[in-house]
Structure formats: structure tokens, C-alpha cells
Amino acid sequence: MGTDVTRILSEAKRLGRPVLTEVESKEVLTAYGIPVRTGQVAIDPESAAEIAGKLVYPVVMKIVSPD
């Protein structure tokens, strides 16, 4: 558990990011046993459509970006 959190925090610090991404934040919360809604990351429109097709509508999509 602790090593996963340390790795996430170290990587964010190495990249000079003062804030974790949503995915990183959820990984940290999960590591401490705090339940969170999970999501999936699509890398292109086709994979987004495939993921959405497996879910119950309506579907929420968010941009995952370090910016």
C-alpha cells in the first residue's frame, strides 16, 4: 500500500506537479481503503465508444490531461 502511494507522490513531484490527477488521487484513496467510483481511460474515440457501450447510459466523459 505505502509503496504505491509513495510512487504516485514521487512521480508527481518529479514532474513538478503540485496536484495529483484524478486517476492518481483515486489510486491513493483506494490504497487507504477509501471507496471511490472507478473509471476507465480511453486513448482514442473508438476505445471511448467501446467503453461507453458497456456502461449504463447516461455516460460521463472527462478529459485526462496534466494541463
Side-chain angles (χ1 to χ4, degrees):
M1 168 177 44
T3 57
D4 291 337
V5 173
T6 300
R7 176 189 52 78
I8 292 166
L9 297 176
S10 295
E11 181 66 7
K13 184 176 180 179
R14 184 185 72 77
L15 295 172
R17 291 190 285 114
V19 177
L20 298 177
T21 66
E22 181 178 351
V23 172
E24 291 167 336
S25 299
K26 287 182 176 183
E27 288 176 359
V28 169
L29 293 171
T30 299
Y32 285 101
I34 299 169
V36 296
R37 292 255 183 215
T38 58
Q40 297 177 332
V41 177
I43 58 171
D44 56 37
E46 291 77 20
S47 61
E50 181 180 334
I51 292 168
K54 296 176 183 175
L55 302 173
V56 176
Y57 283 82
V59 174
V60 175
M61 293 189 179
K62 298 180 182 181
I63 295 175
V64 176
S65 170
D67 298 331

